[in-house]
Amino acid sequence: MSNYRHAAATLAGLGFILLLASASAGTAPQQDKGYLDYLDSYYQTGNPNDLMLARNAIKVELDSSDALQFQSYYYNAEIQFLLALEELKKDPKNVEGQNKLRGLLLQVYNRFLDAYYKVDPAQLKTSSVPGNTAFLLKDVLMAATFSQNANSFAPIVKTVLRRANRDDLYDRQNSYAASVNDMLEPEYPNLFGIANFVKAVWLNDQFIGMKEEGAVKDSLRRTVNFHAAIASDTLKSPYGLTIAYFLLAETYANHENDMAWNYFKKCLDLMKTIEDVPQGFYARNYNSEIYVATAVAFLPTYAEYLYSAGRYPEIMLSARYLVDLSTLDRGKIENVAKEAVFWGEKSIRALQDASRFASADELFQQLKGFHGLIEPKERLGQTE
Amino acid sequence: MQAYFDRGDAELEHQAVVTKALSLTDAEHESRFNAFGRRRYRSLLCYTVGLGLLAMTVAVHIGSAEQALSQIVQEPESPDNRFIIEFPEPEPPEPKPKLKPEIKPEEPQPVERVRSVPDRVTQTIKPQERSREREEEHIVDRDAQTESTVKRSLPAVTTPTIAVSETAGQREFVQENIRQTTVSDFADLRGDYIPEEKAGKHRSAPETGLSHIQLDPYHYQMVNVCLRLCVRTMFTHSGIDEQERSASSDWLRIRRENDNFFEYRHGGRWVRFSVKTGSLGEISNIDFVSVAGDWTSNDGAQPLLEAATKDLCRLLGYDDCLKRL
């Protein structure tokens, strides 16, 4: 009997060992995931659980190697900062949370400098410093959208960018750091406006590229609209304002068409007053050609909307506004004129059907000018 | 002077008498003592030597006995081995030093992980099913307006039923794939030092921004806006005139009867662009044209779209767009 008991106990022990082995094998892939992976995951999903996992993961590495301590301390401080930010998101008016966030930001900045000076200057570009710089800017700007006195963070951003500019740590034409740097100079120290502006720009980049229509895209559109509206209220540089107006127009289009058209007009009017458009990150992406072409592309939708609402004269006025910009090329003029003629004739017919002959005649007089705009195109076409 | 010498001689003689001359008693005693001491020393020396020899003999005897005893204890069963002279076995030759000393593999040192730049990781959009109800309602409205337009003898806008493209992926995932491709390509370019990058333990060189992404969204936006204007010109109102048609007959074919599409000659073959006229007004939607076949991949789609947009802009007079493209 005792032999049987002994054998059963042995088998149970073996089973337990096998269970432990299988469990450890099952958890092995999770152990391969480092804190940077969790941080990346957080930046992609915004899930605070990833921050908790990153915090647990980095504890193992903090004391593992002297070589990495500076980096690990920086990442640890960054994780703590992001956790504090997540807490602040739940209660943005919490004074203690605000103070804690500010203190942690200073700590992150100090750790960033520690890691920065630890790297050989010749190897700065191939180290983590460029990535850390961009992420630090991203963290600070993310906090600035929640902080009540976000502008107090502006000196940190300025000093981080000073080193980044000196050591050429980012792509001047096409990077997140460039998008911050190009707007910081004319707006300093308005970090609150810059943070909302930059967020709107990068989210709009996703918005215009998203093919799938639906709730997700609509949510993204509203987010862009929200931040662009704050930017339009807080920025002071004319060029930044044109971009904010353009983002508002794009995100209102097909949803609130009157708002969209008004913002297109504000954008185009303001753009006409700017003599020297700043070169850099935004110049290639936001320029007069883009503004005008998008407004021309939006005109048919707006004209259809006006026609549906019975606001026929405004169709002619909108088309005339674009033509009077005198910055349209012949293709756009023809496009606008054809739309005006198309919807104008429909409007005249609708007015005639409603026995509003005086209004129809008035609209017909306005329409004559657009017929004249189509004619030159035939001649231009013959010259090619 | 003589007195001096005399006095000195007298002292010398006196000292010699005091130190060397013994009394009779002393001299006799000394002679006896010397005789007894010599005999005593000789006997002591003899005893000492004898005792030493005896001790050596005893010691030799005891040592041989112990050796014999130990041999008996070690090899009791081989009584003859005491007659065998055993030489110690030759020690194995020491291994020759290798020319290439064996080097222990170094323990993997912790390597700093290069962090990527967060330009394209702002947000991840989860895929969702498309809701086409609003779009279809919009198309129905558009059809109704088209009918009224036909009666006004304006060019008709025939809007076919739009097939929902289920294969169109979201750009976020496309970018992610491209990013991973870029990472692996970078690792391959580094020659023999690849394993850790291949294993995915490292980040690659920092992502420098949009220029590393195939689908440059703002350049694509320019293509989007300009191509939209071109397509609108071709597929609404009167389309292109006879002269434009003849000038582009070798690279452009337009069909707007039962199905809206145009064919563009690119790389020696005709590529069909399906046009969704209902989406032309949605300026934030870049899906108003779709290219069938193997052009859906980003590597091929962007040059194709760019080339088609350039040629169409040149044909239809969108000079500003052409300048920017």
Side-chain angles (χ1 to χ4, degrees), chain A residues 40 78 128 135 174 176 205 212 216-217 284 301 329 331 335 377, chain B residues 113 115-116 119-120 125 130 168 171 203 208 217 244 284 319-320:
Chain A
D40 270 357
E78 186 183 8
S128 282
F135 271 103
N174 211 353
Y176 185 85
D205 172 51
E212 300 288 331
V216 177
K217 186 169 183 178
R284 177 167 169 257
T301 302
D329 56 19
N335 198 312
K377 190 259 168 189
Chain B
R113 296 178 61 175
R115 197 176 189 185
S116 61
D119 293 338
R120 305 298 310 153
I125 308 299
R130 298 180 67 169
R171 204 182 56 159
R203 302 283 172 82
T208 53
E244 290 167 343
S284 62
D319 301 330
D320 291 342

PDB file of all heavy atoms in Angstrom, chain A residues 40 78 128 135 174 176 205 212 216-217 284 301 329 331 335 377, chain B residues 113 115-116 119-120 125 130 168 171 203 208 217 244 284 319-320:
ATOM      1  N   ASP A  40       6.280  51.007 -27.495  1.00  0.00           N
ATOM      2  CA  ASP A  40       5.776  51.160 -28.859  1.00  0.00           C
ATOM      3  C   ASP A  40       4.298  50.831 -28.927  1.00  0.00           C
ATOM      4  O   ASP A  40       3.517  51.516 -29.583  1.00  0.00           O
ATOM      5  CB  ASP A  40       6.552  50.239 -29.807  1.00  0.00           C
ATOM      6  CG  ASP A  40       7.766  50.936 -30.383  1.00  0.00           C
ATOM      7  OD1 ASP A  40       7.942  52.132 -30.077  1.00  0.00           O
ATOM      8  OD2 ASP A  40       8.522  50.296 -31.112  1.00  0.00           O
ATOM      9  N   GLU A  78      10.696  57.950 -18.291  1.00  0.00           N
ATOM     10  CA  GLU A  78       9.674  58.216 -19.306  1.00  0.00           C
ATOM     11  C   GLU A  78       8.394  57.432 -19.019  1.00  0.00           C
ATOM     12  O   GLU A  78       7.275  57.948 -19.168  1.00  0.00           O
ATOM     13  CB  GLU A  78      10.217  57.851 -20.688  1.00  0.00           C
ATOM     14  CG  GLU A  78       9.273  58.223 -21.821  1.00  0.00           C
ATOM     15  CD  GLU A  78       9.809  57.791 -23.171  1.00  0.00           C
ATOM     16  OE1 GLU A  78      10.822  57.074 -23.210  1.00  0.00           O
ATOM     17  OE2 GLU A  78       9.203  58.154 -24.184  1.00  0.00           O
ATOM     18  N   SER A 128      20.490  55.818 -29.694  1.00  0.00           N
ATOM     19  CA  SER A 128      19.074  56.021 -29.406  1.00  0.00           C
ATOM     20  C   SER A 128      18.706  57.486 -29.244  1.00  0.00           C
ATOM     21  O   SER A 128      17.540  57.797 -29.039  1.00  0.00           O
ATOM     22  CB  SER A 128      18.696  55.281 -28.118  1.00  0.00           C
ATOM     23  OG  SER A 128      18.556  53.922 -28.372  1.00  0.00           O
ATOM     24  N   PHE A 135      10.852  61.105 -29.286  1.00  0.00           N
ATOM     25  CA  PHE A 135       9.856  60.640 -28.331  1.00  0.00           C
ATOM     26  C   PHE A 135       9.685  61.614 -27.185  1.00  0.00           C
ATOM     27  O   PHE A 135       8.579  61.787 -26.672  1.00  0.00           O
ATOM     28  CB  PHE A 135      10.235  59.252 -27.790  1.00  0.00           C
ATOM     29  CG  PHE A 135       9.694  58.137 -28.609  1.00  0.00           C
ATOM     30  CD1 PHE A 135      10.500  57.440 -29.475  1.00  0.00           C
ATOM     31  CD2 PHE A 135       8.360  57.780 -28.522  1.00  0.00           C
ATOM     32  CE1 PHE A 135      10.001  56.416 -30.244  1.00  0.00           C
ATOM     33  CE2 PHE A 135       7.850  56.762 -29.279  1.00  0.00           C
ATOM     34  CZ  PHE A 135       8.677  56.071 -30.144  1.00  0.00           C
ATOM     35  N   ASN A 174      11.211  66.229 -43.079  1.00  0.00           N
ATOM     36  CA  ASN A 174      10.136  65.261 -42.997  1.00  0.00           C
ATOM     37  C   ASN A 174      10.245  64.409 -41.740  1.00  0.00           C
ATOM     38  O   ASN A 174      10.601  63.237 -41.805  1.00  0.00           O
ATOM     39  CB  ASN A 174      10.219  64.355 -44.238  1.00  0.00           C
ATOM     40  CG  ASN A 174       8.865  63.886 -44.638  1.00  0.00           C
ATOM     41  OD1 ASN A 174       7.884  64.127 -43.938  1.00  0.00           O
ATOM     42  ND2 ASN A 174       8.782  63.205 -45.749  1.00  0.00           N
ATOM     43  N   TYR A 176       8.852  64.142 -37.279  1.00  0.00           N
ATOM     44  CA  TYR A 176       8.034  64.722 -36.209  1.00  0.00           C
ATOM     45  C   TYR A 176       8.751  65.915 -35.570  1.00  0.00           C
ATOM     46  O   TYR A 176       8.135  66.960 -35.310  1.00  0.00           O
ATOM     47  CB  TYR A 176       7.751  63.656 -35.154  1.00  0.00           C
ATOM     48  CG  TYR A 176       6.818  64.115 -34.064  1.00  0.00           C
ATOM     49  CD1 TYR A 176       5.441  64.036 -34.234  1.00  0.00           C
ATOM     50  CD2 TYR A 176       7.302  64.629 -32.881  1.00  0.00           C
ATOM     51  CE1 TYR A 176       4.580  64.467 -33.253  1.00  0.00           C
ATOM     52  CE2 TYR A 176       6.452  65.066 -31.889  1.00  0.00           C
ATOM     53  CZ  TYR A 176       5.092  64.980 -32.068  1.00  0.00           C
ATOM     54  OH  TYR A 176       4.243  65.408 -31.097  1.00  0.00           O
ATOM     55  N   ASP A 205      -2.973  63.584 -41.303  1.00  0.00           N
ATOM     56  CA  ASP A 205      -2.212  62.750 -42.234  1.00  0.00           C
ATOM     57  C   ASP A 205      -2.811  61.347 -42.300  1.00  0.00           C
ATOM     58  O   ASP A 205      -2.908  60.749 -43.369  1.00  0.00           O
ATOM     59  CB  ASP A 205      -0.763  62.714 -41.764  1.00  0.00           C
ATOM     60  CG  ASP A 205       0.064  61.738 -42.548  1.00  0.00           C
ATOM     61  OD1 ASP A 205       0.014  61.828 -43.776  1.00  0.00           O
ATOM     62  OD2 ASP A 205       0.734  60.903 -41.930  1.00  0.00           O
ATOM     63  N   GLU A 212     -10.867  53.494 -45.842  1.00  0.00           N
ATOM     64  CA  GLU A 212     -12.114  52.915 -45.362  1.00  0.00           C
ATOM     65  C   GLU A 212     -12.970  53.974 -44.697  1.00  0.00           C
ATOM     66  O   GLU A 212     -12.569  54.573 -43.705  1.00  0.00           O
ATOM     67  CB  GLU A 212     -11.811  51.800 -44.356  1.00  0.00           C
ATOM     68  CG  GLU A 212     -10.993  50.665 -44.932  1.00  0.00           C
ATOM     69  CD  GLU A 212     -11.796  49.828 -45.889  1.00  0.00           C
ATOM     70  OE1 GLU A 212     -13.022  49.752 -45.696  1.00  0.00           O
ATOM     71  OE2 GLU A 212     -11.219  49.273 -46.832  1.00  0.00           O
ATOM     72  N   VAL A 216     -14.593  54.658 -37.608  1.00  0.00           N
ATOM     73  CA  VAL A 216     -13.213  54.953 -37.212  1.00  0.00           C
ATOM     74  C   VAL A 216     -12.727  56.226 -37.886  1.00  0.00           C
ATOM     75  O   VAL A 216     -12.168  57.127 -37.244  1.00  0.00           O
ATOM     76  CB  VAL A 216     -12.301  53.760 -37.562  1.00  0.00           C
ATOM     77  CG1 VAL A 216     -10.861  54.096 -37.231  1.00  0.00           C
ATOM     78  CG2 VAL A 216     -12.741  52.535 -36.815  1.00  0.00           C
ATOM     79  N   LYS A 217     -12.971  56.302 -39.167  1.00  0.00           N
ATOM     80  CA  LYS A 217     -12.520  57.494 -39.889  1.00  0.00           C
ATOM     81  C   LYS A 217     -13.273  58.735 -39.411  1.00  0.00           C
ATOM     82  O   LYS A 217     -12.701  59.818 -39.321  1.00  0.00           O
ATOM     83  CB  LYS A 217     -12.722  57.286 -41.384  1.00  0.00           C
ATOM     84  CG  LYS A 217     -12.136  58.414 -42.211  1.00  0.00           C
ATOM     85  CD  LYS A 217     -12.078  58.108 -43.670  1.00  0.00           C
ATOM     86  CE  LYS A 217     -11.411  59.250 -44.420  1.00  0.00           C
ATOM     87  NZ  LYS A 217     -11.280  58.975 -45.853  1.00  0.00           N
ATOM     88  N   ARG A 284       6.007  72.167 -48.150  1.00  0.00           N
ATOM     89  CA  ARG A 284       5.712  71.233 -49.234  1.00  0.00           C
ATOM     90  C   ARG A 284       4.301  70.669 -49.109  1.00  0.00           C
ATOM     91  O   ARG A 284       3.665  70.342 -50.089  1.00  0.00           O
ATOM     92  CB  ARG A 284       6.738  70.102 -49.197  1.00  0.00           C
ATOM     93  CG  ARG A 284       6.512  69.029 -50.220  1.00  0.00           C
ATOM     94  CD  ARG A 284       7.733  68.129 -50.320  1.00  0.00           C
ATOM     95  NE  ARG A 284       7.426  66.956 -51.109  1.00  0.00           N
ATOM     96  CZ  ARG A 284       7.196  65.772 -50.597  1.00  0.00           C
ATOM     97  NH1 ARG A 284       7.206  65.614 -49.293  1.00  0.00           N
ATOM     98  NH2 ARG A 284       6.939  64.746 -51.368  1.00  0.00           N
ATOM     99  N   THR A 301     -19.308  69.474 -54.504  1.00  0.00           N
ATOM    100  CA  THR A 301     -20.060  69.008 -53.336  1.00  0.00           C
ATOM    101  C   THR A 301     -20.818  70.152 -52.683  1.00  0.00           C
ATOM    102  O   THR A 301     -21.996  70.010 -52.310  1.00  0.00           O
ATOM    103  CB  THR A 301     -19.091  68.378 -52.326  1.00  0.00           C
ATOM    104  OG1 THR A 301     -18.392  67.315 -52.949  1.00  0.00           O
ATOM    105  CG2 THR A 301     -19.835  67.850 -51.116  1.00  0.00           C
ATOM    106  N   ASP A 329      -5.307  77.868 -62.483  1.00  0.00           N
ATOM    107  CA  ASP A 329      -4.827  77.618 -63.834  1.00  0.00           C
ATOM    108  C   ASP A 329      -6.031  77.326 -64.736  1.00  0.00           C
ATOM    109  O   ASP A 329      -7.176  77.268 -64.291  1.00  0.00           O
ATOM    110  CB  ASP A 329      -3.809  76.478 -63.838  1.00  0.00           C
ATOM    111  CG  ASP A 329      -4.372  75.210 -63.227  1.00  0.00           C
ATOM    112  OD1 ASP A 329      -5.608  75.096 -63.143  1.00  0.00           O
ATOM    113  OD2 ASP A 329      -3.591  74.327 -62.807  1.00  0.00           O
ATOM    114  N   GLY A 331      -7.062  74.720 -66.222  1.00  0.00           N
ATOM    115  CA  GLY A 331      -7.830  73.508 -65.940  1.00  0.00           C
ATOM    116  C   GLY A 331      -8.813  73.739 -64.797  1.00  0.00           C
ATOM    117  O   GLY A 331      -9.962  73.299 -64.855  1.00  0.00           O
ATOM    118  N   ASN A 335     -12.855  73.806 -64.785  1.00  0.00           N
ATOM    119  CA  ASN A 335     -13.590  72.944 -63.866  1.00  0.00           C
ATOM    120  C   ASN A 335     -14.632  73.738 -63.097  1.00  0.00           C
ATOM    121  O   ASN A 335     -15.802  73.341 -63.000  1.00  0.00           O
ATOM    122  CB  ASN A 335     -12.586  72.305 -62.900  1.00  0.00           C
ATOM    123  CG  ASN A 335     -13.130  71.079 -62.199  1.00  0.00           C
ATOM    124  OD1 ASN A 335     -14.231  71.125 -61.676  1.00  0.00           O
ATOM    125  ND2 ASN A 335     -12.374  70.004 -62.197  1.00  0.00           N
ATOM    126  N   LYS A 377     -10.843  78.044 -73.138  1.00  0.00           N
ATOM    127  CA  LYS A 377     -10.190  76.742 -73.024  1.00  0.00           C
ATOM    128  C   LYS A 377     -10.081  76.056 -74.385  1.00  0.00           C
ATOM    129  O   LYS A 377      -9.076  75.399 -74.690  1.00  0.00           O
ATOM    130  CB  LYS A 377     -10.978  75.875 -72.046  1.00  0.00           C
ATOM    131  CG  LYS A 377     -10.286  74.601 -71.662  1.00  0.00           C
ATOM    132  CD  LYS A 377     -10.835  73.438 -72.398  1.00  0.00           C
ATOM    133  CE  LYS A 377      -9.955  72.231 -72.214  1.00  0.00           C
ATOM    134  NZ  LYS A 377     -10.369  71.149 -73.085  1.00  0.00           N
TER     135      LYS A 377
ATOM    136  N   ARG B 113      19.543  49.330 -27.411  1.00  0.00           N
ATOM    137  CA  ARG B 113      18.519  49.228 -28.440  1.00  0.00           C
ATOM    138  C   ARG B 113      18.236  50.618 -28.987  1.00  0.00           C
ATOM    139  O   ARG B 113      17.921  51.534 -28.254  1.00  0.00           O
ATOM    140  CB  ARG B 113      17.253  48.637 -27.854  1.00  0.00           C
ATOM    141  CG  ARG B 113      17.459  47.227 -27.375  1.00  0.00           C
ATOM    142  CD  ARG B 113      16.219  46.701 -26.772  1.00  0.00           C
ATOM    143  NE  ARG B 113      15.138  46.679 -27.734  1.00  0.00           N
ATOM    144  CZ  ARG B 113      13.946  46.162 -27.458  1.00  0.00           C
ATOM    145  NH1 ARG B 113      13.701  45.650 -26.303  1.00  0.00           N
ATOM    146  NH2 ARG B 113      12.999  46.173 -28.363  1.00  0.00           N
ATOM    147  N   ARG B 115      16.240  53.353 -30.627  1.00  0.00           N
ATOM    148  CA  ARG B 115      14.808  53.596 -30.604  1.00  0.00           C
ATOM    149  C   ARG B 115      14.381  54.259 -31.898  1.00  0.00           C
ATOM    150  O   ARG B 115      15.089  55.081 -32.460  1.00  0.00           O
ATOM    151  CB  ARG B 115      14.491  54.518 -29.431  1.00  0.00           C
ATOM    152  CG  ARG B 115      13.053  54.520 -29.050  1.00  0.00           C
ATOM    153  CD  ARG B 115      12.874  55.380 -27.833  1.00  0.00           C
ATOM    154  NE  ARG B 115      11.554  55.245 -27.297  1.00  0.00           N
ATOM    155  CZ  ARG B 115      11.093  55.964 -26.291  1.00  0.00           C
ATOM    156  NH1 ARG B 115      11.869  56.825 -25.719  1.00  0.00           N
ATOM    157  NH2 ARG B 115       9.874  55.803 -25.854  1.00  0.00           N
ATOM    158  N   SER B 116      13.216  53.910 -32.339  1.00  0.00           N
ATOM    159  CA  SER B 116      12.739  54.485 -33.586  1.00  0.00           C
ATOM    160  C   SER B 116      12.135  55.859 -33.320  1.00  0.00           C
ATOM    161  O   SER B 116      11.884  56.241 -32.197  1.00  0.00           O
ATOM    162  CB  SER B 116      11.694  53.589 -34.220  1.00  0.00           C
ATOM    163  OG  SER B 116      10.601  53.467 -33.347  1.00  0.00           O
ATOM    164  N   ASP B 119       7.335  59.017 -35.801  1.00  0.00           N
ATOM    165  CA  ASP B 119       6.578  59.816 -36.754  1.00  0.00           C
ATOM    166  C   ASP B 119       5.297  59.138 -37.203  1.00  0.00           C
ATOM    167  O   ASP B 119       4.306  59.778 -37.479  1.00  0.00           O
ATOM    168  CB  ASP B 119       7.439  60.108 -37.977  1.00  0.00           C
ATOM    169  CG  ASP B 119       8.590  61.008 -37.598  1.00  0.00           C
ATOM    170  OD1 ASP B 119       8.485  61.696 -36.582  1.00  0.00           O
ATOM    171  OD2 ASP B 119       9.575  61.000 -38.304  1.00  0.00           O
ATOM    172  N   ARG B 120       5.364  57.841 -37.284  1.00  0.00           N
ATOM    173  CA  ARG B 120       4.233  57.174 -37.898  1.00  0.00           C
ATOM    174  C   ARG B 120       3.521  56.257 -36.929  1.00  0.00           C
ATOM    175  O   ARG B 120       2.876  55.316 -37.343  1.00  0.00           O
ATOM    176  CB  ARG B 120       4.708  56.353 -39.105  1.00  0.00           C
ATOM    177  CG  ARG B 120       5.479  57.164 -40.104  1.00  0.00           C
ATOM    178  CD  ARG B 120       4.651  58.269 -40.714  1.00  0.00           C
ATOM    179  NE  ARG B 120       3.397  57.777 -41.202  1.00  0.00           N
ATOM    180  CZ  ARG B 120       2.296  58.503 -41.314  1.00  0.00           C
ATOM    181  NH1 ARG B 120       2.289  59.748 -40.943  1.00  0.00           N
ATOM    182  NH2 ARG B 120       1.193  57.974 -41.788  1.00  0.00           N
ATOM    183  N   ILE B 125      -5.483  52.407 -36.155  1.00  0.00           N
ATOM    184  CA  ILE B 125      -6.921  52.319 -36.380  1.00  0.00           C
ATOM    185  C   ILE B 125      -7.283  50.861 -36.596  1.00  0.00           C
ATOM    186  O   ILE B 125      -6.703  50.176 -37.424  1.00  0.00           O
ATOM    187  CB  ILE B 125      -7.320  53.144 -37.610  1.00  0.00           C
ATOM    188  CG1 ILE B 125      -6.765  54.554 -37.496  1.00  0.00           C
ATOM    189  CG2 ILE B 125      -8.821  53.155 -37.762  1.00  0.00           C
ATOM    190  CD1 ILE B 125      -7.278  55.315 -36.303  1.00  0.00           C
ATOM    191  N   ARG B 130     -17.142  48.292 -43.339  1.00  0.00           N
ATOM    192  CA  ARG B 130     -17.568  49.534 -43.963  1.00  0.00           C
ATOM    193  C   ARG B 130     -19.082  49.655 -43.911  1.00  0.00           C
ATOM    194  O   ARG B 130     -19.803  48.696 -44.080  1.00  0.00           O
ATOM    195  CB  ARG B 130     -17.108  49.580 -45.414  1.00  0.00           C
ATOM    196  CG  ARG B 130     -15.621  49.553 -45.565  1.00  0.00           C
ATOM    197  CD  ARG B 130     -15.232  49.609 -47.013  1.00  0.00           C
ATOM    198  NE  ARG B 130     -15.589  50.906 -47.613  1.00  0.00           N
ATOM    199  CZ  ARG B 130     -15.163  51.276 -48.799  1.00  0.00           C
ATOM    200  NH1 ARG B 130     -14.407  50.500 -49.507  1.00  0.00           N
ATOM    201  NH2 ARG B 130     -15.511  52.440 -49.302  1.00  0.00           N
ATOM    202  N   ALA B 168      -9.309  46.586 -50.166  1.00  0.00           N
ATOM    203  CA  ALA B 168      -8.538  47.782 -49.835  1.00  0.00           C
ATOM    204  C   ALA B 168      -8.187  47.780 -48.357  1.00  0.00           C
ATOM    205  O   ALA B 168      -9.063  47.768 -47.505  1.00  0.00           O
ATOM    206  CB  ALA B 168      -9.359  49.019 -50.172  1.00  0.00           C
ATOM    207  N   ARG B 171      -4.405  52.176 -44.440  1.00  0.00           N
ATOM    208  CA  ARG B 171      -3.054  52.609 -44.691  1.00  0.00           C
ATOM    209  C   ARG B 171      -2.153  52.387 -43.489  1.00  0.00           C
ATOM    210  O   ARG B 171      -0.958  52.244 -43.622  1.00  0.00           O
ATOM    211  CB  ARG B 171      -3.035  54.090 -45.059  1.00  0.00           C
ATOM    212  CG  ARG B 171      -1.805  54.440 -45.858  1.00  0.00           C
ATOM    213  CD  ARG B 171      -1.789  55.865 -46.150  1.00  0.00           C
ATOM    214  NE  ARG B 171      -1.873  56.632 -44.926  1.00  0.00           N
ATOM    215  CZ  ARG B 171      -1.484  57.888 -44.846  1.00  0.00           C
ATOM    216  NH1 ARG B 171      -1.015  58.491 -45.876  1.00  0.00           N
ATOM    217  NH2 ARG B 171      -1.582  58.558 -43.707  1.00  0.00           N
ATOM    218  N   ARG B 203      15.995  47.662 -32.757  1.00  0.00           N
ATOM    219  CA  ARG B 203      15.339  48.531 -33.710  1.00  0.00           C
ATOM    220  C   ARG B 203      16.325  48.822 -34.824  1.00  0.00           C
ATOM    221  O   ARG B 203      17.521  48.773 -34.619  1.00  0.00           O
ATOM    222  CB  ARG B 203      14.934  49.831 -33.055  1.00  0.00           C
ATOM    223  CG  ARG B 203      14.024  49.665 -31.897  1.00  0.00           C
ATOM    224  CD  ARG B 203      12.632  49.382 -32.375  1.00  0.00           C
ATOM    225  NE  ARG B 203      11.775  49.043 -31.257  1.00  0.00           N
ATOM    226  CZ  ARG B 203      11.208  49.934 -30.481  1.00  0.00           C
ATOM    227  NH1 ARG B 203      11.398  51.195 -30.698  1.00  0.00           N
ATOM    228  NH2 ARG B 203      10.449  49.551 -29.488  1.00  0.00           N
ATOM    229  N   THR B 208      13.162  57.986 -40.246  1.00  0.00           N
ATOM    230  CA  THR B 208      13.380  59.409 -40.403  1.00  0.00           C
ATOM    231  C   THR B 208      12.141  60.147 -40.866  1.00  0.00           C
ATOM    232  O   THR B 208      12.195  61.339 -41.066  1.00  0.00           O
ATOM    233  CB  THR B 208      14.501  59.659 -41.404  1.00  0.00           C
ATOM    234  OG1 THR B 208      14.192  58.950 -42.596  1.00  0.00           O
ATOM    235  CG2 THR B 208      15.822  59.211 -40.853  1.00  0.00           C
ATOM    236  N   PRO B 217       2.096  60.601 -47.851  1.00  0.00           N
ATOM    237  CA  PRO B 217       0.683  60.993 -47.872  1.00  0.00           C
ATOM    238  C   PRO B 217       0.453  62.365 -48.463  1.00  0.00           C
ATOM    239  O   PRO B 217      -0.568  62.586 -49.107  1.00  0.00           O
ATOM    240  CB  PRO B 217       0.280  60.947 -46.400  1.00  0.00           C
ATOM    241  CG  PRO B 217       1.538  60.998 -45.655  1.00  0.00           C
ATOM    242  CD  PRO B 217       2.588  60.393 -46.508  1.00  0.00           C
ATOM    243  N   GLU B 244      -8.519  66.940 -77.640  1.00  0.00           N
ATOM    244  CA  GLU B 244      -7.830  66.260 -76.541  1.00  0.00           C
ATOM    245  C   GLU B 244      -7.895  64.742 -76.728  1.00  0.00           C
ATOM    246  O   GLU B 244      -6.940  64.020 -76.444  1.00  0.00           O
ATOM    247  CB  GLU B 244      -8.477  66.646 -75.199  1.00  0.00           C
ATOM    248  CG  GLU B 244      -8.209  68.087 -74.796  1.00  0.00           C
ATOM    249  CD  GLU B 244      -9.101  68.554 -73.660  1.00  0.00           C
ATOM    250  OE1 GLU B 244     -10.129  67.889 -73.392  1.00  0.00           O
ATOM    251  OE2 GLU B 244      -8.789  69.572 -73.050  1.00  0.00           O
ATOM    252  N   SER B 284     -11.744  63.967 -48.798  1.00  0.00           N
ATOM    253  CA  SER B 284     -10.870  63.258 -47.862  1.00  0.00           C
ATOM    254  C   SER B 284     -10.826  61.762 -48.147  1.00  0.00           C
ATOM    255  O   SER B 284     -10.286  61.010 -47.353  1.00  0.00           O
ATOM    256  CB  SER B 284     -11.349  63.479 -46.436  1.00  0.00           C
ATOM    257  OG  SER B 284     -12.647  62.965 -46.270  1.00  0.00           O
ATOM    258  N   ASP B 319      -2.132  73.175 -64.766  1.00  0.00           N
ATOM    259  CA  ASP B 319      -0.706  73.501 -64.766  1.00  0.00           C
ATOM    260  C   ASP B 319      -0.128  73.552 -63.357  1.00  0.00           C
ATOM    261  O   ASP B 319       1.012  73.150 -63.123  1.00  0.00           O
ATOM    262  CB  ASP B 319      -0.491  74.849 -65.454  1.00  0.00           C
ATOM    263  CG  ASP B 319      -1.001  74.816 -66.883  1.00  0.00           C
ATOM    264  OD1 ASP B 319      -0.959  73.723 -67.486  1.00  0.00           O
ATOM    265  OD2 ASP B 319      -1.445  75.856 -67.383  1.00  0.00           O
ATOM    266  N   ASP B 320      -0.901  74.095 -62.435  1.00  0.00           N
ATOM    267  CA  ASP B 320      -0.384  74.209 -61.076  1.00  0.00           C
ATOM    268  C   ASP B 320      -0.144  72.840 -60.458  1.00  0.00           C
ATOM    269  O   ASP B 320       0.840  72.619 -59.750  1.00  0.00           O
ATOM    270  CB  ASP B 320      -1.363  74.998 -60.192  1.00  0.00           C
ATOM    271  CG  ASP B 320      -1.395  76.453 -60.601  1.00  0.00           C
ATOM    272  OD1 ASP B 320      -0.455  76.880 -61.293  1.00  0.00           O
ATOM    273  OD2 ASP B 320      -2.361  77.138 -60.237  1.00  0.00           O
TER     274      ASP B 320
END
